Amino acid sequence: MAEPLHELSAPTLVGLYRRREVSPVEVARSVLGHVERWEQYVHALYLLRPDQVMQQARASEARWLRGEPQGLIDGVPVTIKDNIATKGDPTPLGTAATELVPATADAPPAARVREHGGVVLAKTTMPDYGMLSSGLSSFHKLSRNPWDLAKTPGGSSAGAGSAAAAGYGPLHIGTDIGGSLRLPAGWCGIFTLKPSLGRVPIDPPYIGRAAGPMTRTVEDAALFMQVLSGADDRDSMSLPPQDIAWSAFDRGAEKLRGLRIGLLLEAGCGLAVEPEVRAAIERAAMILERAGAVVAPLKPFMTQGMLDGMDHFWRMRSHVDMRTLAPEVKARVLPYIQQWADSAAGMTGEAVYRAFHQFHLTRVAAVNACRPFDYVVSPVSPVPAPAAELPSATNDPLRPLEHIGFTVPFNMSEQPAASINCGYTSGGLPIGLQIVGKRFDDLGVLQVARAFEIVREPQRPWPLPPSEAIHHVD
């Protein structure tokens, strides 16, 4: 049986369009039909407007029929995270406290998608202000993990992770300031690349904040990076435009031969790594060794003080932001977020400074720890996906970041870091392997991830909507 159109990769779709074997209109219909079967269970999308999707698809079809495609992903379905502005649409930031005012312009990632002809399927859900690693939101419906609807997809790119795993087309955009691309990728079994800071321009820019592709395959992410890495001077932290050979992402398993890879099995802070997660990462390291890499242990370099300092600074930032809200508006924010932010009310100026200084200490520690190695691998998260209803893995607003000890340092060090599936728990939940490169080596991280994708253990079939899964078993 031929693979359904909504399951096909972006390069495959572009090739089919070029040969006039498939139309963007057919693909849009397939994706919309699949969304209709899944969305009632996972609640991944915001602003799903089928008429607008079909209008974009028909315009793309006309361009292909003229032999004048607009760009690299003309006619390919794309989802865009809630907090990435799209012109004419409100940007609720996942919270009922936001005034729904139409955006006046596309943010850089959305602008690049439109310039390259991508068909914007919908926006994707996120938690309040992006400050949770879950799909819990005071504005959106609770997002769930397609692998197990009782579990969270992760966050804050919750809907994007869920949409990619559920098969809502090949390309999805998320953002990440402490793990918000990699955590949902790890817990949903998909691939993502958190690029070097500034590689993908974003507006507004912020310390450690990156936008990146969320896809099922490394190939899709490599194509999407050609689109997303286009220049945009609205990002004051963006890197100079660089001609990177993204199409050379596939160097095969040979890429691994002789590489020095550091194996980080303990974060040095936060939650302990669960045995099933540790076992999966150790198996991945053995696979890398068998393929010719030289794997050596890497001692933890993070401290609880670093993690707590960043947490406390972010609390103060959110506390200051929420003080501008009228009491009745602030009351709409998730109580967990309110309690977390309000806990910073008594911090002194010295305490805020000391908290902020932990960002720099984390950056220096991460760079120094990675220096002896070409790449570093670790768990994405110390635990598998928690329950969907939990705001965080600990469910404690005074210990909210205990699960990001492996991911957050590489936001602060500005290094590229990917998540790729490397196994499953006994309950069938995906386990993510983080692959980290030196600053600016985004292509190298993609190449190592592609090599691992080739040599890793066989993957389980993607989850099906509950009704189809029952029929499939019968």
Side-chain angles (χ1 to χ4, degrees), residues 357-416:
H357 187 53
Q358 300 305 314
F359 288 85
H360 175 69
L361 296 180
T362 299
R363 175 192 183 102
V364 172
V367 171
N368 287 341
C370 293
R371 185 170 288 113
F373 303 102
D374 299 309
Y375 300 91
V376 167
V377 298
S378 77
V380 169
S381 166
V383 298
E389 293 78 9
L390 295 181
S392 70
T394 60
N395 195 26
D396 182 352
L398 301 184
R399 294 177 57 242
L401 305 184
E402 302 295 292
H403 57 290
I404 71 169
F406 289 106
T407 51
V408 70
F410 303 113
N411 292 82
M412 301 314 132
S413 65
E414 306 183 12
Q415 295 171 250

Side-chain angles (χ1 to χ4, degrees), residues 191-339:
F191 178 77
T192 193
L193 172 68
K194 180 203 74 65
S196 299
L197 185 74
R199 180 71 71 205
V200 172
I202 193 166
D203 183 31
Y206 195 82
I207 296 169
R209 185 175 187 231
M214 302 180 75
T215 62
R216 286 183 169 185
T217 66
V218 178
E219 178 187 38
D220 276 326
L223 173 62
F224 211 10
M225 282 300 295
Q226 295 184 58
V227 173
L228 297 176
S229 60
D232 198 302
D233 61 11
R234 288 176 289 173
D235 186 347
S236 58
M237 303 169 78
S238 63
L239 298 175
Q242 188 176 353
D243 186 14
I244 296 174
W246 298 109
S247 59
F249 75 95
D250 191 349
R251 296 270 302 277
E254 284 297 312
K255 170 68 179 180
L256 299 172
R257 193 167 301 281
L259 287 183
R260 299 165 299 162
I261 295 180
L263 174 61
L264 180 66
L265 288 171
E266 299 292 341
C269 59
L271 294 172
V273 178
E274 289 196 5
E276 285 189 307
V277 173
R278 184 184 182 99
I281 303 304
E282 289 176 333
R283 282 199 307 275
M286 288 176 56
I287 290 169
L288 293 169
E289 279 190 316
R290 286 204 299 265
V294 179
V295 179
L298 172 58
K299 292 180 181 179
F301 57 87
M302 283 284 287
T303 67
Q304 192 66 40
M306 292 174 184
L307 186 64
D308 290 345
M310 290 186 281
D311 173 25
H312 292 157
F313 180 81
W314 282 329
R315 293 187 202 200
M316 179 55 79
R317 184 189 70 169
S318 294
H319 175 66
V320 170
D321 287 344
M322 279 194 252
R323 280 177 58 186
T324 66
L325 302 177
E328 66 274 13
V329 176
K330 180 183 175 183
R332 301 174 196 158
V333 178
L334 282 175
Y336 182 99
I337 295 290
Q338 292 184 51
Q339 187 177 347

Side-chain angles (χ1 to χ4, degrees), residues 26-41:
E26 295 174 280
V27 173
R29 287 188 183 129
S30 178
V31 172
L32 287 170
H34 190 62
V35 167
E36 188 174 353
R37 294 187 289 274
W38 251 127
E39 184 61 9
Q40 61 185 308
Y41 303 106

Side-chain angles (χ1 to χ4, degrees), residues 136-159:
L136 186 63
S137 164
S138 62
F139 181 84
H140 302 295
K141 291 183 179 179
L142 178 64
S143 300
R144 295 180 180 274
N145 192 322
W147 290 92
D148 182 343
L149 296 175
K151 303 298 184 181
T152 183
S156 63
S157 303

Side-chain angles (χ1 to χ4, degrees), residues 31 34-35 38-39 42-46 77-84 109 121-127 132-137 140-147 152-176 179-193 210-217 224 228 462-463:
V31 172
H34 190 62
V35 167
W38 251 127
E39 184 61 9
V42 296
H43 305 303
L45 301 184
Y46 168 58
V78 178
T79 72
I80 300 173
K81 189 177 176 181
D82 162 347
N83 64 344
I84 297 173
L121 175 68
K123 305 296 286 288
T124 50
T125 60
M126 62 182 281
L132 298 177
S133 298
S134 78
L136 186 63
S137 164
H140 302 295
K141 291 183 179 179
L142 178 64
S143 300
R144 295 180 180 274
N145 192 322
W147 290 92
T152 183
S156 63
S157 303
S162 183
Y168 289 12
L171 304 179
H172 311 270
I173 310 173
T175 63
D176 187 318
S180 290
L181 284 164
R182 288 156 290 162
L183 288 160
W187 287 341
C188 290
I190 63 169
F191 178 77
T192 193
L193 172 68
M214 302 180 75
T215 62
R216 286 183 169 185
T217 66
F224 211 10
L228 297 176
W462 292 102

